[in-house]
DNA sequence: TATTTCTACGCAATCGTTTTAGTAAACATT
DNA sequence: AATGTTTACTAAAACGATTGCGTAGAAATA
């Protein structure tokens, strides 16, 4: 930084003291007399001295910053998670570096490398939908980088995790559709490899099974890129709506898939819920104002972020290697609106 | 970083070379023989060596990171701007640190201090609605910190700026309402002190004046916190809708004010556009799917971010103090949807 | 053969801060 | 008076990477 060149050395020179005295005075060391402390502090203030955090980091071996990897901050859910992360991190004097994968594996690897090469103290990560394996994270984990997974987690790395109760969220949504009188309930979801897909699929299947409703496998559509390409969802809908036993309801996962589905159904002039009902996962604040108001499973994004950060900081601050890990599961909430209300005949 | 302890010194020891030789080999210096270079590079790769960027920063006096200050990333407009910023920054090897003010002046000051104390090389900032003055930035600017303003800018600091054509956006929106047959057009907007408010207000007034329509001052409502509190907008609407010469159309500014207005109007069972038409500023991807589809002025968020970052990097890289500054104005686009279509009688 | 020029590398200082290991001087204890 | 104990400070070594300068030995030139 050349825009703020005042260093501890300048103060030392001005006061005819050694740098170590100045440093200790500023850190309020017991070794320094009150008189000198006052002198130093006053001089620092007068010269608008700010300790160079880079030098501090180098000396202390930590950077007081944590890295975040999410798919995209345009997703309201992740924006809320990040707000939760920041609320805890800032309180503890950590700053955060946010990176986005846009669901790409390449970008995930690049971002993780970039973050670690920026010397982060810990990592908060939600896996990209396109991530086939977690070797890039295993190495770092083995090297001792504290990491906490949230939302999309992996079984292959043993560390803290924070997730929503995806199973129950999906179960509740599906059961609600069943209770509302729908029987042919399709499911449009993310790629089968990521955790949230599996958990939500299990909840969906369980609700149907518990109600004794048989559902063919072709009612389940996976979007390989998590809805990054609108065509993925378009294809899924075209397929479903042209079936002979066309579904009378759809349960969607993920913010993007859900909001895109409502957009496409409207465009296709498929009436919701008259032609097909819809319940989705989304954290948009606009669900109420959509046409029609969208029934949705809402996740506690902010709280997920908070919890994950608390756990990460506890790992970072721990003096001994942590071997006991925890997976925190936060409840989801189903908001019932018009998109899933059986129209009266 | 203790989780990645491989340093240049470790490599030197392993190969029985000096640290300087290793450093120079890795930096491909002409002073080092090809044979040694190959040896060093291979050893570095094998040991998963990564240069410690903190040490590099300290030596080189830059941090290769830029700070961003926005009101909130939950706002789609800012999320898009940030994506634009990242696209340019990452390409140039810079990483970004995002902070949010949530429209609070206190948080803005804190964030700016935090960022500069984290040794950023430059600052990209959109002012908070509650920011009464820019003294906290003037000091930094005077000290030579490169900064570029975007979206909400200030006249008081002479540097690069990137904004939307707010005047024209507002003019077009208002003119469209007039052309659609509306005459009593109200305006709900951000606090009068920030730049976008002034620019949009001017466009709104000009369109009305050009059409020879007199509009009373009480048709203009300011939200002191930019719509952070829903009650601000509630009050504005209650006031407007209970007027004797109740407006037949409303033009709103800012993402949050616009989407909250549609929410409240729906809640109040005020039909849009039958009872009152609506055109707003918003960058949500959901405008099409809202009830009713929302006419809106769309800003080129991504491009604003890109442009601002290009300008910031040019400031950072400049060898000489820059004295010629530029304000780039990007066009807005009006999307006409149902919320502003005069219903047939 | 003596001198100069290259080549390829090492030494040591540097960035700004923190911290360990001193050390004079003042004061207290026997 | 000789010895311990504080007090209040300083010198110097880190942290990891970079870089100007120095130099041994090989090669080229005179």
């Amino acid at each position: 930084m050349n825009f703020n060149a005042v260093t501890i050395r300048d103060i030392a020179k001005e006061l005819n003291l050694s740098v170590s005295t100045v440093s200790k005075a500023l850190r309020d060391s017991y070794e320094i007399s009150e008189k000198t402390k006052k002198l130093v502090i006053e001089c620092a203030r007068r010269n608008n001295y700010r300790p160079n955090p880079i030098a501090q980091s180098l000396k202390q071996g930590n950077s007081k910053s944590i890295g975040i990897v999410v798919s995209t901050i345009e997703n309201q859910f992740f924006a809320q998670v990040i707000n939760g992360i920041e609320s805890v991190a800032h309180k503890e004097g950590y700053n955060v570096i946010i990176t986005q994968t846009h669901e790409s594996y390449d970008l995930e690897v690049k971002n993780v490398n970039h973050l670690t090469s920026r010397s982060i103290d810990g990592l908060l990560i939600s896996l990209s939908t396109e991530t086939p394996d977690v070797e890039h994270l295993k190495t770092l984990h083995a090297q001792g980088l504290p990491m906490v997974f949230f939302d999309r987690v992996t079984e292959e790395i043993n560390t803290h995790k924070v997730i929503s109760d995806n199973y129950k969220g999906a179960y509740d949504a599906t059961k609600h559709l069943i209770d509302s009188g729908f029987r042919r309930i399709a499911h449009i979801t993310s790629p089968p490899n990521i955790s949230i897909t599996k958990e939500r699929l299990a909840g969906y299947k369980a609700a149907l099974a518990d109600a004794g409703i048989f559902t063919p496998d072709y009612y389940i559509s996976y979007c390989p890129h998590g809805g990054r390409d609108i065509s993925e969802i378009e294809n899924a809908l075209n397929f479903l709506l042209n079936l002979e036993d066309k579904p009378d309801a759809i349960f969607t996962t993920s913010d993007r898939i859900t909001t895109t589905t409502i957009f496409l159904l409207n465009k296709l002039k498929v009436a919701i819920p008259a032609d097909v009902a819809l319940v989705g996962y989304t954290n948009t604040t606009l669900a109420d104002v959509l046409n029609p108001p969208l029934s949705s499973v809402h996740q506690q994004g902010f709280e997920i972020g908070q919890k994950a950060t608390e756990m990460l900081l506890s790992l970072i601050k721990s003096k001994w290697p942590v071997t006991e890990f925890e997976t925190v599961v936060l409840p989801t909430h189903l908001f019932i609106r018009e998109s899933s209300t059986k129209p009266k005949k």
Side-chain angles (χ1 to χ4, degrees), chain A:
Chain A
M1 299 285 58
N2 53 357
F3 79 89
N4 191 358
V6 185
T7 79
I8 220 167
R9 187 167 274 106
D10 299 327
I11 299 179
K13 205 166 290 170
E14 179 168 333
L15 297 178
N16 253 330
L17 287 169
S18 75
V19 285
S20 40
T21 305
V22 175
S23 172
K24 286 176 181 167
L26 289 171
R27 320 203 78 240
D28 202 25
S29 162
Y30 68 95
E31 293 177 89
I32 307 298
S33 70
E34 288 305 319
K35 206 177 66 187
T36 310
K37 275 184 194 169
K38 209 165 280 174
L39 219 62
V40 169
I41 289 166
E42 201 283 319
C43 179
R45 207 194 41 67
R46 180 157 35 79
N47 292 10
N48 194 27
Y49 165 79
R50 303 201 160 249
N52 180 328
I54 292 191
Q56 288 179 317
S57 290
L58 182 61
K59 192 70 181 77
Q60 281 157 10
N62 65 14
S63 62
K64 281 280 183 181
S65 60
I66 63 188
I68 306 181
V69 178
V70 295
S71 65
T72 168
I73 59 171
E74 279 194 77
N75 182 323
Q76 300 263 315
F77 169 67
F78 288 120
Q80 289 159 17
V81 172
I82 288 169
N83 281 344
I85 292 172
E86 286 197 332
S87 75
V88 174
H90 287 169
K91 209 169 51 196
E92 302 275 335
Y94 284 76
N95 75 330
V96 304
I97 303 177
I98 303 165
T99 64
Q100 310 181 73
T101 65
H102 299 287
E103 306 296 10
S104 140
Y105 172 61
D106 272 4
L107 269 173
E108 181 175 301
V109 174
K110 271 192 194 135
N111 286 340
V112 168
N113 285 338
H114 186 234
L115 284 172
T116 52
S117 85
R118 294 294 315 171
S119 289
I120 51 168
D121 292 348
L123 182 68
L124 291 170
I125 181 166
S126 169
L127 294 170
S128 151
T129 52
E130 294 173 8
T131 295
D133 62 69
V134 290
E135 294 309 316
H136 54 304
L137 296 170
K138 271 187 181 166
T139 326
L140 291 168
H141 184 243
Q143 287 177 338
L145 174 69
M147 56 177 76
V148 172
F149 288 87
F150 64 94
D151 185 48
R152 300 149 177 197
V153 303
T154 175
E155 302 260 300
E156 296 187 41
I157 294 178
N158 192 23
T159 184
H160 291 321
K161 290 158 201 172
V162 185
I163 55 176
S164 283
D165 196 342
N166 287 302
Y167 176 90
K168 184 153 184 305
Y171 188 98
D172 290 349
T174 312
K175 182 164 189 308
H176 156 65
L177 284 170
I178 297 168
D179 291 347
S180 304
F182 301 101
R183 286 296 172 270
R184 298 189 307 283
I185 302 171
H187 186 35
I188 305 181
T189 185
S190 321
N193 57 299
I194 63 173
S195 61
I196 54 172
T197 306
K198 293 179 200 158
E199 293 158 16
R200 292 173 191 177
L201 184 64
Y204 159 81
K205 283 189 170 169
L208 290 167
D210 286 356
I213 299 175
F214 170 77
T215 299
D217 276 352
Y218 54 76
Y219 268 23
I220 301 167
S221 282
Y222 299 99
C223 299
H225 305 290
R228 194 181 63 172
D229 302 333
I230 192 170
S231 61
E232 297 182 327
I233 304 169
E234 237 160 1
N235 294 342
L237 284 176
N238 280 336
F239 172 79
L240 289 171
L241 297 174
N242 286 317
L243 286 172
E244 216 160 283
D245 51 342
K246 182 168 86 95
D248 56 7
I250 303 178
F251 166 50
T252 52
T253 62
S254 100
D255 231 296
R256 180 140 30 171
I257 293 175
T258 301
T259 53
T260 307
T261 298
I262 192 170
F263 169 76
L264 288 172
L265 288 176
N266 281 353
K267 195 171 132 195
L268 293 167
K269 307 261 183 245
V270 175
I272 312 172
D275 296 337
V276 60
L278 184 63
V279 179
Y281 259 83
T282 179
N283 267 44
T284 179
T285 50
L286 296 174
D288 256 321
V289 200
L290 293 177
N291 177 29
L294 182 67
S295 297
S296 66
V297 182
H298 183 270
Q299 305 181 72
Q300 303 193 16
F302 191 88
E303 289 77 9
I304 289 175
Q306 285 187 309
K307 190 68 204 171
T309 312
E310 284 164 11
M311 294 172 112
L312 183 69
L313 291 179
S314 85
L315 288 181
I316 290 173
K317 291 177 178 171
S318 167
K319 301 284 180 224
W320 304 275
V322 180
T323 50
E324 291 282 298
F325 297 106
E326 206 181 335
T327 295
V328 173
V329 180
L330 273 72
T332 56
H333 294 286
L334 175 65
F335 288 91
I336 297 171
R337 301 196 183 88
E338 282 174 38
S339 72
S340 61
T341 313
K342 186 108 185 176
K344 292 155 208 124
K345 297 266 161 93

